[in-house]
Amino acid sequence: MTDVESLRAQLRDRGYLSHGIERWFALDPWSSRTFWAELATVAAKAATLIALFGSLPCVAVMLNRNRPLAGIETLELFAIYAATWLTIGFAVVLAVALLLKIRPELTIDTSRGLLAISIATSAALLVPLGWWWYEFDGTASAVELAAGGALATIFFLVSTIVVSAALLSFSIYELQRIPSIHQKPRGVPLAMAAAMLVAVLLVPAYATPERREQPPPLVVTSPSQHHIALVGVDGLSDDILRSRPDLAREFALIDPVKRMDGASTTERWASVGTGVPATLHGVRAVEGVRLAGGAHVLQSVSRADFVLRSVGERQPLPPTIRRRDYVWEIFAGRGVPSLAVDWWTTSDARFAALTSIGQQTIFAAAKNNALAIDAGAEQRFLHELDSSQPRFATVYLPALDVILNRVAADPSSRLSASIRALDATLALVRSLRQRGYDVLLVGLPGESQSGRAVFASTMSMKATASAFDIAPTLCALMGFPASAEMPGTSLTGEAGPRIASYGSRVSSEAPATLNQEYYDTLRSLGYIR
């Protein structure tokens, strides 16, 4: 047996060559079916291993950013990313093999050359992974960086071995030996390693049962006769409020507040209303992706993830995404008549003590006009206020943020529209005071807007340190204890005892379906890119 034939036999024994692959050098790529069949076979084998290891960092990042996920959803993510990497890996190996075949000057004549080409190819495979990771909103956590970085490193090393194995047939006649990295079989060990790493990701998702809803805890409340109205104005900063003396005069306290962290409008305002950080309330984005048969909505999805966005169902976040009650839902659940209008991740609902009017009907009726959204919310708010006269009422007004930060307009039009939005806010505050309500106003600057957040109150209170103080303050005013999950403190000066938690939100709603009109409105107003 000649040296070359011996090398062929060794390569076939190690799973690198099929029976015809070593004939590439003698075949015309444009007319030989054998050439294309053998090339496709080897590229498919290499792409399979690339897909197994390439999908791991993607799934790990998605699990970290979108937990909790059910086992079936984790499996779907793995299948989607594996199929994507299979396509990418097949195309890359095919392209490199053809390039080496049709460009004789690139012939591999040393094992060092083979390794250099394999490393370059593996580095090219890391480019789409890095781009995909970079296009997420928000910074990665330390755990995500550690897990994703480790798996990406493994992916790079495995890709180098796999690509060099796939291209080894081009070098056997020049090298007359098998490079050291291929002295032992690699296919089976790599497949076993991939299976174990996949199990590390998938098994915990199947092994961890879904948390069952717990009954709301019993709490001791104090008698309170306050009638409180909370007005949330998105896009309102401390300097904007002070630039309107007529509006500022309505309040006994105006206090600049540290900007609230958060990747999206919904996350920040959910933190204000619940009093807890996003890690507990679970609201992260405006738009989510629901996988087929999945019970959860993926809120953190890379803008470069075209495959997942096309495979999954894109939709605004349903109310079921929120894992903690807003404080007014806590009040209403214990007998305090409450009204809430136009808040994120709420739906139209009427219970014994709660009237909730969600965003979908108000946004859809506004016909893509930001000022009409505020006008519709204020009209519904005052109508319900006069009808039921609740002890606690709240409304969220997004128009100022849309005008200043989201839609394109010339400076004069933007100024005119923002003045009209502030005029409407002034009229609302005066209407509430005339109806006997103490008004608390909170404003948060938009994502790209300068300035500090602001808290204003018609009642005398302590200075505000954070927007997280709003929820404990409302609890104190309504005679409820704050929970230990709330990082803020009450501005009333009453630091009463706290309960451990009000528990997870109890919801009997089925997974919501896409309201296309509401979705289109969010897109036209700049909430969805």
Side-chain angles (χ1 to χ4, degrees):
M1 182 181 293
T2 66
D3 291 338
V4 171
E5 290 175 345
S6 176
L7 287 170
R8 291 175 180 174
Q10 292 179 53
L11 290 172
R12 279 198 293 269
D13 291 341
R14 287 162 174 77
Y16 296 144
L17 297 182
S18 56
H19 291 291
I21 195 67
E22 64 272 17
R23 296 197 300 273
W24 281 1
F25 74 95
L27 298 175
D28 179 3
W30 314 121
S31 61
S32 172
R33 293 182 181 179
T34 302
F35 173 86
W36 287 107
E38 297 299 339
L39 178 57
T41 300
V42 171
K45 290 179 179 179
T48 300
L49 283 174
I50 290 173
L52 289 174
F53 284 93
S55 60
L56 293 175
C58 298
V59 175
V61 170
M62 290 296 290
L63 288 178
N64 181 75
R65 288 179 176 261
N66 294 280
R67 60 179 180 269
L69 290 180
I72 186 64
E73 293 165 332
T74 306
L75 188 60
E76 283 188 70
L77 279 177
F78 176 77
I80 290 170
Y81 289 124
T84 303
W85 277 110
L86 182 68
T87 303
I88 294 174
F90 184 85
V92 168
V93 172
L94 199 70
V96 173
L98 285 175
L99 181 64
L100 295 175
K101 171 62 180 165
I102 65 178
R103 297 293 298 272
E105 63 271 21
L106 298 177
T107 301
I108 303 171
D109 56 4
T110 65
S111 58
R112 187 174 300 173
L114 173 66
L115 187 60
I117 292 177
S118 301
I119 290 176
T121 304
S122 298
L125 287 170
L126 285 180
V127 172
L129 176 60
W131 179 42
W132 172 86
W133 203 349
Y134 178 77
E135 288 297 317
F136 276 96
D137 292 322
T139 57
S141 65
V143 173
E144 178 183 326
L145 286 173
L151 290 172
T153 301
I154 294 173
F155 171 53
F156 173 78
L157 296 175
V158 169
S159 297
T160 300
I161 296 173
V162 170
V163 171
S164 65
L167 303 178
L168 192 54
S169 61
F170 288 100
S171 64
I172 61 174
Y173 286 91
E174 292 82 8
L175 296 179
Q176 295 292 305
R177 63 184 177 84
I178 298 177
S180 59
I181 62 172
H182 299 296
Q183 290 297 320
K184 295 182 179 180
R186 298 287 185 227
V188 173
L190 288 178
M192 293 177 62
M196 288 187 289
L197 289 174
V198 170
V200 169
L201 292 178
L202 298 184
V203 170
Y206 276 98
T208 303
E210 290 286 319
R211 294 182 179 179
R212 296 183 179 179
E213 294 178 347
Q214 300 294 326
L218 298 176
V219 297
V220 177
T221 61
S222 303
S224 172
Q225 298 304 316
H226 285 293
H227 283 70
I228 303 296
L230 172 66
V231 179
V233 182
D234 207 355
L236 180 65
S237 61
D238 178 66
D239 54 344
I240 292 177
L241 177 57
R242 294 180 189 276
S243 71
R244 290 291 303 261
D246 51 352
L247 179 57
R249 281 194 297 268
E250 297 292 325
F251 300 99
L253 168 72
I254 298 178
D255 203 17
V257 180
K258 178 183 176 182
R259 293 179 70 97
M260 177 169 280
D261 295 332
S264 69
T265 294
T266 47
E267 178 179 336
R268 293 189 293 272
W269 283 101
S271 293
V272 171
T274 62
V276 302
T279 51
L280 293 178
H281 65 61
V283 178
R284 296 283 189 174
V286 175
E287 179 192 40
V289 175
R290 190 190 298 278
L291 298 175
H296 301 91
V297 174
L298 305 177
Q299 297 181 59
S300 185
V301 178
S302 171
R303 289 187 296 272
D305 203 331
F306 308 112
V307 176
L308 186 58
R309 291 180 183 274
S310 61
V311 171
E313 178 191 13
R314 299 174 67 175
Q315 63 177 69
L317 292 191
T320 50
I321 204 68
R322 184 162 42 86
R323 300 197 300 266
R324 289 294 186 272
D325 283 325
Y326 286 125
V327 289
W328 49 88
E329 294 170 335
I330 293 173
F331 304 156
R334 291 157 180 84
V336 177
S338 302
L339 167 67
V341 176
D342 202 34
W343 278 80
W344 293 97
T345 63
T346 60
S347 59
D348 293 348
R350 292 181 185 271
F351 302 105
L354 175 66
T355 299
S356 175
I357 299 172
Q359 286 188 331
Q360 293 202 21
T361 54
I362 292 175
F363 270 57
K367 305 298 183 184
N368 307 332
N369 185 325
L371 290 172
I373 293 175
D374 275 15
E378 291 163 355
Q379 182 181 6
R380 294 286 299 274
F381 182 62
L382 294 175
H383 172 75
E384 294 291 343
L385 206 68
D386 293 334
S387 299
S388 57
Q389 298 181 341
R391 283 183 48 208
F392 181 88
T394 182
V395 63
Y396 167 76
L397 306 175
L400 189 61
D401 173 54
V402 174
I403 293 165
L404 296 178
N405 304 301
R406 299 187 181 278
V407 296
D410 60 87
S412 60
S413 298
R414 182 175 286 113
L415 176 62
S416 174
S418 60
I419 290 174
R420 291 171 61 190
L422 291 170
D423 287 343
T425 301
L426 173 61
L428 176 63
V429 171
R430 288 175 173 173
S431 296
L432 290 169
R433 298 194 69 184
Q434 291 171 1
R435 287 169 168 80
Y437 283 85
D438 291 309
V439 180
L440 276 62
L441 182 145
V442 58
L444 302 183
E447 295 170 15
S448 58
Q449 187 177 344
S450 61
R452 302 183 70 183
V454 64
F455 172 75
S457 171
T458 57
M459 309 167 66
S460 296
M461 293 185 176
K462 294 166 51 181
T464 316
S466 165
F468 280 112
D469 295 338
I470 307 300
T473 301
L474 294 175
C475 288
L477 290 172
M478 302 308 295
F480 282 72
S483 75
E485 294 178 333
M486 299 177 181
T489 59
S490 172
L491 305 179
T492 63
E494 303 173 7
R498 295 196 175 205
I499 66 171
S501 172
Y502 278 100
S504 297
R505 181 169 179 254
V506 178
S507 175
S508 60
E509 298 174 273
T513 57
L514 172 64
N515 183 318
Q516 190 62 43
E517 190 174 15
Y518 176 47
Y519 184 88
D520 293 339
T521 300
L522 292 177
R523 182 183 294 279
S524 68
L525 295 175
Y527 285 106
I528 296 175
R529 288 174 286 181

